[in-house]
Amino acid sequence: MFLIGQYDSPFVRRVAIALRLYGLAFEHRPWSTFGDADKIAPYNPLRRVPTLVLDDGEALIESTIILDYLDELVGEGKAMLPRSGAERRKHLRICALASGLGDKAVSLLYERVLRKEQLALWVERCQAQIGDVLGVLDAERAKVTTPYWLGDRIGHADIAVACVVRFTREAHPLLLDAARYLALAAHADRCEALAPFKEIVQPLAPPKG
């Protein structure tokens, strides 16, 4: 199977890191949604990443769907998300907040680099949403006394948060002050020190307007 998308996307990166942690072999096709849209279209008409193309040609889109498939593939004992109950909902909530934060951080970046005249109301809204989610995630992480949200082993919530924190740090350094979000920064740094995070990384290279 092969994974489409560049690793400066927090969504592509979280999928690639999960694949590596699960020990699943894959090829990487670092196609850009801007420069390589025509290559992506046959697999994903939305021309979005990540897209994971399986050995039989089936194309999975959106990181949440891809990770759900990977969890099913590796089985309940190895899956990085509880299969049911309150714990599952708790970690899905963290993943949803991280994904939403990533969406807003990407939107704000595109607003800056692709529009000659930024829409002030949209910029202010995105900044407020980013700040509020960072505050909630930091408070939630501060309550957790274990190394990771799932306990002693890493889970999808941990990966999603770490990937989005890195992206936001690079894209909007003024919005993510490590001194203000101590628990969140410490969590991200712990994850980034792991081998898969060090291997699967790419400096942010935003599109040019």
Side-chain angles (χ1 to χ4, degrees), residues 61-176:
I61 64 174
E62 301 294 337
S63 57
T64 300
I65 295 172
I66 295 171
L67 293 171
D68 186 66
Y69 165 78
L70 297 181
D71 287 352
E72 183 179 311
L73 188 63
V74 300
E76 186 172 351
K78 194 175 180 182
M80 291 188 286
L81 185 71
R83 297 310 299 169
S84 62
E87 277 296 295
R88 178 177 175 81
R89 294 190 296 274
K90 171 184 173 182
H91 294 288
L92 283 174
R93 176 176 177 271
I94 298 300
C95 289
L97 286 170
S99 294
L101 172 59
D103 284 336
K104 291 302 172 181
V106 170
S107 294
L108 188 58
L109 177 65
Y110 286 173
E111 181 73 17
R112 186 174 76 236
V113 302
L114 297 179
R115 288 176 62 100
K116 292 182 179 179
E117 295 185 9
Q118 297 178 37
L119 183 60
L121 181 63
W122 178 250
V123 170
E124 291 170 6
R125 179 178 173 81
C126 287
Q127 289 177 339
Q129 290 170 303
I130 289 170
D132 287 349
V133 175
L134 287 172
V136 169
L137 287 174
D138 186 66
E140 292 283 342
R141 190 64 183 91
K143 297 176 185 177
V144 179
T145 58
T146 53
Y148 301 105
W149 253 291
L150 269 174
D152 292 329
R153 66 188 185 100
I154 196 168
H156 289 312
D158 304 293
I159 300 169
V161 170
C163 289
V164 168
V165 166
R166 184 185 186 97
F167 178 86
T168 307
R169 277 174 170 170
E170 294 187 356
H172 312 290
L174 296 180
L175 297 182
L176 211 168

